[in-house]
Amino acid sequence: MFVLGIDPGLSRCGYGVVEQIPAAGSQRARSEAVGLGVICTAPNESTAQRLATQMRELRCLIDEFRPAVVAVERVFFQVNARTAMGVAQVAGLAMALASDTGAEVVEYAPNEVKQAVAGWGGADKAQMQRMVCELLALDELPIPADAADAAAVALCHLSRTGWHRAAARSRSIAR
Amino acid sequence: MFVLGIDPGLSRCGYGVVEQIPAAGSQRARSEAVGLGVICTAPNESTAQRLATQMRELRCLIDEFRPAVVAVERVFFQVNARTAMGVAQVAGLAMALASDTGAEVVEYAPNEVKQAVAGWGGADKAQMQRMVCELLALDELPIPADAADAAAVALCHLSRTGWHRAAARSRSIAR
């Protein structure tokens, strides 16, 4: 089962496709990154053109992986209304496209994601990159940070649904 | 040439398709409503499902009329952050879908629309309905008000591009 995590943004939208691989025989349950990246748009384009680019690329991602769940980082307007507008609009595109394919759509606040992945809500970008690297058993730190943030949203969802607890149990049994 | 006006909203998104008909012989230039309505979503559905419905319906509208211009009422976050989120997201869907078909996308603030259509930025809904009725030579007031608001956004665009001034000139010549 694929979970697509989205760290929305108009200029840069991070995505992380995480596969849940159940325990089988001596193989412990684990989460594996099958796609990490960032959709970038050109600053000289209009907002509408940039939204169209994000829509096309998000649609390609969803069509390719057909995720069962799309987990989107929740937007707050309090911080910066100007930036938040583009973030909210790209989050809306992801949610609409995901729901249109029948995927479950969930939203998590940034501090929920940090709490679930790094253990505390105030974790910085570097700590999050290291934890994503650890949880997905990557050979190197996921770069850019937006891709790691997006994978963290997917991992947050798996953690909330008990996957990581189950994976940890299966890990201790397998040892 | 069709101009699609959008009054975005998650629960109700107004739309108005206005056709520019140039002067021909003794026929004066005019604007004609070819489609007025509201896309409604069910309050018991999730935000993602409602966004998906708005996306599908907006795509159908754009595919049907292939508007040269899509004019969207600009969203402001200051008013009500909770409602503004859905409004911003539906505006983003309309902009992305429109740009994807190559349409020109423009945004107008609510008071610009009121100024252009009713002559002053503080016009109320009833005044806007009457002015839209007058400018589009409708037999009766456009109902619901969201549809009139959307048509007003399209008329605002035509007014800004000099269409109504040209139409008025052609009207006085034809008389």
Side-chain angles (χ1 to χ4, degrees), chain B residues 130-150:
Chain B
R130 282 197 299 275
M131 283 309 298
V132 167
C133 185
E134 169 72 21
L135 288 166
L136 293 173
L138 301 174
D139 293 332
E140 51 193 45
L141 287 183
I143 292 170
D146 313 66
D149 286 344

Side-chain angles (χ1 to χ4, degrees), chain A residues 47-49 51-52 55-56 59 75 77 81 84-85 88-89 91-93 95-97 99-100 105, chain B residues 47-49 51-52 55-56 59 75 77 81 84-85 88-89 91-93 95-97 99-100 105:
Chain A
T47 300
Q49 287 171 322
L51 287 168
M55 181 180 70
R56 282 191 296 268
R59 192 192 288 137
V75 188
F77 283 151
M85 180 72 81
Q89 290 178 326
L93 290 172
M95 291 166 75
L97 291 164
S99 178
D100 199 41
V105 178
Chain B
T47 299
Q49 288 170 322
L51 287 169
M55 182 181 70
R56 281 190 296 269
R59 193 192 288 137
V75 188
F77 283 152
M85 180 72 81
Q89 290 177 328
L93 289 172
M95 290 165 75
L97 291 164
S99 178
D100 199 41
V105 178

Side-chain angles (χ1 to χ4, degrees), chain A residues 28 30-33 130-140 155:
Chain A
R28 59 185 170 83
R30 66 191 196 281
S31 304
E32 203 170 278
R130 283 198 297 276
M131 283 308 300
V132 166
C133 186
E134 168 72 21
L135 288 166
L136 293 173
L138 301 174
D139 294 331
E140 49 193 47
L155 289 167

Side-chain angles (χ1 to χ4, degrees), chain A residues 34-154:
Chain A
V34 292
L36 288 180
V38 175
I39 306 165
C40 295
T41 61
N44 61 333
E45 286 188 331
S46 70
T47 300
Q49 287 171 322
R50 299 172 88 176
L51 287 168
T53 301
Q54 291 290 352
M55 181 180 70
R56 282 191 296 268
E57 296 295 323
L58 286 167
R59 192 192 288 137
C60 284
L61 258 180
I62 291 169
D63 284 349
E64 182 179 350
F65 292 100
R66 287 280 158 175
V69 180
V70 176
V72 182
E73 190 161 294
R74 193 186 295 278
V75 188
F76 293 97
F77 283 151
Q78 287 74 4
V79 189
N80 180 338
R82 197 173 159 72
T83 315
M85 180 72 81
V87 179
Q89 290 178 326
V90 173
L93 290 172
M95 291 166 75
L97 291 164
S99 178
D100 199 41
T101 64
E104 183 190 351
V105 178
V106 288
E107 289 182 281
Y108 295 105
N111 61 346
E112 281 181 285
V113 176
K114 290 175 178 178
Q115 177 70 46
V117 172
W120 69 299
D124 63 23
K125 284 211 172 265
Q127 288 170 319
M128 290 296 284
Q129 273 177 302
R130 283 198 297 276
M131 283 308 300
V132 166
C133 186
E134 168 72 21
L135 288 166
L136 293 173
L138 301 174
D139 294 331
E140 49 193 47
L141 288 182
I143 291 170
D146 313 67
D149 286 344
V153 184

Side-chain angles (χ1 to χ4, degrees), chain A residues 48, chain B residues 62 66-70 95 97-105:
Chain B
I62 291 169
R66 287 279 161 176
V69 180
V70 176
M95 290 165 75
L97 291 164
S99 178
D100 199 41
T101 63
E104 182 190 351
V105 178

